[in-house]
Amino acid sequence: MHSLTRFLLAAAPTIALAIHIPRQGVDFVDPRIDGGSMLDDAGNGLGEPLNVIISGLSSSPVLTSEGIVNYAKAIGFSEECLGIHLGDPQSANLGDGRGPVNQTIELRQDYGDPDLGTCLESLIGGNHFRVFPQTGPLHPTNALFLAVSQEENVSQSHTISPDGYNVGRNLLVSNAIGDTSFGGVNYHTEAQNLTGLLAVGSGGVNHDIALDGIVTLLTVTITN
């Protein structure tokens, strides 16, 4: 067999694979590319950081409304106390073609009790996060952008704690990393810190609280 023929036959499988196997998605798309922001809109001209992103490459059930609630319960959060939400919802523009969209849900630290523990959080404060999915027509990644923060107790009107954005992010991530489970669903979570998405400092940030500029990307895999 001619050497050129042998070369083409040997190369053909590699060429075919490169052409016919498409990329299966992305972690997320930077909202700023198409006019969005990595700060949500707190309704006062300032914003709170979208400081945790659950990757669009996570197991798809995690990225649904029911799925994020079950995952939240696996890492120490649950729905608000008795379903009661105080305060106006915040919105975010994720640059996905929908413009500003209100949070889909707010989840609070449950202190080990997914049924009533968030009532305690409402009294004494703790960690909480708002969920914003990137699902618009420009960038339907299904990634979930989370605005995470540690807040003070009810006597302090639930204001954000000093350094509460960085602290809240770190607490959520430390609870999430590794293997967790809830409701018969087992999760494995890996984390990666990203820089360059959020500015360092307090410019435009609600409560004038400085950020360290880190966004943590979580990839969540259902293992059962």
Side-chain angles (χ1 to χ4, degrees):
M1 184 182 292
H2 194 279
S3 59
L4 178 58
T5 302
R6 288 197 299 269
F7 170 78
L8 291 174
L9 288 174
T14 302
I15 294 172
L17 287 173
I19 292 173
H20 294 299
I21 296 181
R23 182 174 175 83
Q24 296 300 303
V26 295
D27 290 308
F28 65 96
V29 172
D30 183 345
R32 300 171 300 173
I33 292 174
D34 284 296
S37 175
M38 286 297 294
L39 296 176
D40 72 11
D41 182 356
N44 57 1
L46 301 172
E48 301 195 348
L50 304 174
N51 49 9
V52 173
I53 301 172
I54 298 182
S55 168
L57 300 181
S58 299
S59 295
S60 56
V62 176
L63 305 176
T64 66
S65 297
E66 291 183 358
I68 185 57
V69 171
N70 198 78
Y71 178 66
K73 291 178 178 180
I75 63 173
F77 295 82
S78 192
E79 297 103 324
E80 295 188 277
C81 176
L82 304 177
I84 299 171
H85 176 71
L86 299 177
D88 295 328
Q90 296 184 7
S91 64
N93 183 348
L94 299 183
D96 59 1
R98 297 182 299 157
V101 178
N102 283 352
Q103 65 199 49
T104 58
I105 195 169
E106 187 168 345
L107 296 153
R108 296 184 180 277
Q109 185 176 350
D110 67 14
Y111 290 99
D113 182 347
D115 295 318
L116 295 174
T118 56
C119 296
L120 181 60
E121 193 277 343
S122 294
L123 290 174
I124 69 172
N127 212 6
H128 75 305
F129 65 92
R130 308 169 192 270
V131 181
F132 303 92
Q134 190 173 53
T135 56
L138 289 182
H139 304 297
T141 67
N142 293 319
L144 302 178
F145 287 66
L146 312 183
V148 190
S149 57
Q150 179 89 350
E151 63 181 4
E152 301 287 5
N153 61 42
V154 66
S155 69
Q156 301 295 316
S157 301
H158 289 162
T159 190
I160 305 301
S161 305
D163 200 29
Y165 299 121
N166 298 332
V167 169
R169 177 202 62 216
N170 292 344
L171 288 172
L172 183 149
V173 171
S174 67
N175 284 348
I177 290 175
D179 298 317
T180 56
S181 65
F182 188 85
V185 183
N186 300 318
Y187 304 97
H188 179 76
T189 302
E190 297 183 356
Q192 178 184 0
N193 286 339
L194 309 175
T195 57
L197 291 168
L198 282 171
V200 176
S202 60
V205 179
N206 202 22
H207 305 294
D208 197 34
I209 295 174
L211 311 177
D212 60 12
I214 294 173
V215 175
T216 301
L217 177 68
L218 301 180
T219 303
V220 184
T221 303
I222 293 176
T223 59
N224 61 337

